Amino acid sequence: MASTACFMIVSRNDIPIYEAEVGTALKKEDAAHQHQFILHAALDIVQDLAWTTSAMFLKAIDRFNDLVVSVYVTAGHTRLMLLHDSRNDDGIKSFFQEVHELYIKILLNPLYLPGSRITSSHFDTKVRALARKYL
Amino acid sequence: MAPVAPRSGDAIFASVERVNAELFTLTYGAIVRQLLTDLEEVEEVNKQLDQMGYNIGIRLIDEFLAKSNVSRCVDFKETAEVIAKVGFKMFLGVTASVTNWDADGMSCSLILEDNPLVDFVELPDTCQGLYYCNILSGVIRGALEMVSMKTEVTWVRDMLRGDDAFELQVKLLKQVSEEYPYKDDEYSEV
């Protein structure tokens, strides 16, 4: 089954630092921008919700037609956002947790400036592999 | 006959004080990061790291000799073995292997499979020329200079640049003979 999924990491200063289309569905021309738009629009909701709960994983906080936004907020307020059309909650949660670990490894790299773009190709490959595994 | 030099640093490693590996790695990372910010040029950072290592090395050799009980090395081959097996173990907790001797035994390679300095590190495009572990080459150069060996230490392979191991080439330039800084008769009247 073809699925749509768009993954994005937004830094605490609301700057996107990593983006990846991880779905298997054929790409439409305008889809990428639309996905970005939906995710950015969800940021306000994340901001409100993040302080009401101690959980890091915020499930299905926003929807757009059949697409759902799930978010994972790290302790440093970096937001891992996923736009998806599957209903596989456990998979999404595991995906977030493992990407979080990868993100921590990136942060520990002394040559990475926190809040700057993640350009590591290793990270990119790993994220895509995780997406195939869990989503 | 002189006592045989210890062939491994395990015993000493067990007895010396240690710090948390992550603290060590991240502290070194912070130093490199700061140097990159301050000096801006990658080449300059390499030089500075080497100089810092040299300054560490000329002090570290004393501690090494005091604690490790190694005896005088008969030749450069033995020196290299002691550095790889005892020195690296004592201060970094890893051992290196010594290979690639040239014909006249004046240069060799120390190969590190495992290097605690580079955990987490990935070189971004902006610092491609950086020898991240350049401090190590400085340490070896400084330490050997204090025991009257002029050496030249260069990186041949670097895992951060996509190689499969860390390889340091140590080349013995000349053996400085030990001599007293004064002549015998100069102080004879004192």
Side-chain angles (χ1 to χ4, degrees), chain A residues 49-62:
Chain A
L49 269 179
W51 297 104
T52 63
T53 165
S54 61
M56 287 173 147
F57 179 47
L58 309 173
K59 193 175 76 179
I61 56 155
D62 196 10

Side-chain angles (χ1 to χ4, degrees), chain B residues 107-174:
Chain B
S107 94
C108 67
S109 288
L110 299 177
I111 295 180
L112 281 168
E113 302 277 346
D114 187 22
N115 185 346
L117 285 179
V118 299
D119 287 347
F120 321 120
V121 180
E122 206 175 319
L123 284 188
D125 295 339
T126 47
C127 13
Q128 278 308 318
L130 180 70
Y131 285 109
Y132 187 81
C133 305
N134 220 17
I135 203 162
L136 291 183
S137 52
V139 170
I140 295 176
R141 186 168 63 88
L144 287 180
E145 191 165 313
M146 283 296 116
V147 287
S148 55
M149 275 174 266
K150 273 256 183 242
T151 50
E152 187 183 87
V153 186
T154 44
W155 288 100
V156 184
R157 282 190 287 164
D158 189 330
M159 268 163 136
L160 294 178
R161 298 176 171 206
D163 300 322
D164 51 349
F166 286 94
E167 180 173 343
L168 265 172
Q169 192 185 49
V170 185
K171 196 170 177 186
L172 181 65
L173 297 180
K174 68 169 179 185

Side-chain angles (χ1 to χ4, degrees), chain B residues 6-19:
Chain B
R7 281 281 144 251
S8 106
D10 293 346
I12 314 153
F13 181 65
S15 63
V16 291
E17 267 187 62
R18 273 165 278 171
V19 293

Side-chain angles (χ1 to χ4, degrees), chain A residues 7 9 17-20 80 98-107 118-130, chain B residues 122:
Chain A
F7 177 65
I9 301 180
I17 54 175
Y18 175 81
E19 283 170 76
L80 316 182
E98 300 221 5
V99 174
H100 189 193
E101 298 229 338
L102 288 176
Y103 174 67
I104 290 171
K105 289 231 175 74
I106 291 283
L107 270 188
I118 299 176
T119 48
S120 161
S121 59
H122 178 246
F123 180 81
D124 188 59
T125 333
K126 281 286 188 62
V127 167
R128 284 171 196 279
L130 284 175
Chain B
E122 206 175 319

Side-chain angles (χ1 to χ4, degrees), chain A residues 9-17 40 43-44 47 77 79:
Chain A
I9 301 180
V10 183
S11 79
R12 56 172 301 148
N13 305 319
D14 295 334
I15 300 164
I17 54 175
H40 285 165
L43 275 173
D44 283 339
Q47 196 168 24
H77 244 262
R79 283 139 296 175

Side-chain angles (χ1 to χ4, degrees), chain B residues 9 14 43 46 49 71 81 88 99 102 109 134-135 143 145:
Chain B
E43 256 329 292
N46 286 341
L49 281 175
S71 52
E81 281 293 330
F88 272 107
T99 51
D102 68 348
S109 288
N134 220 17
I135 203 162
E145 191 165 313

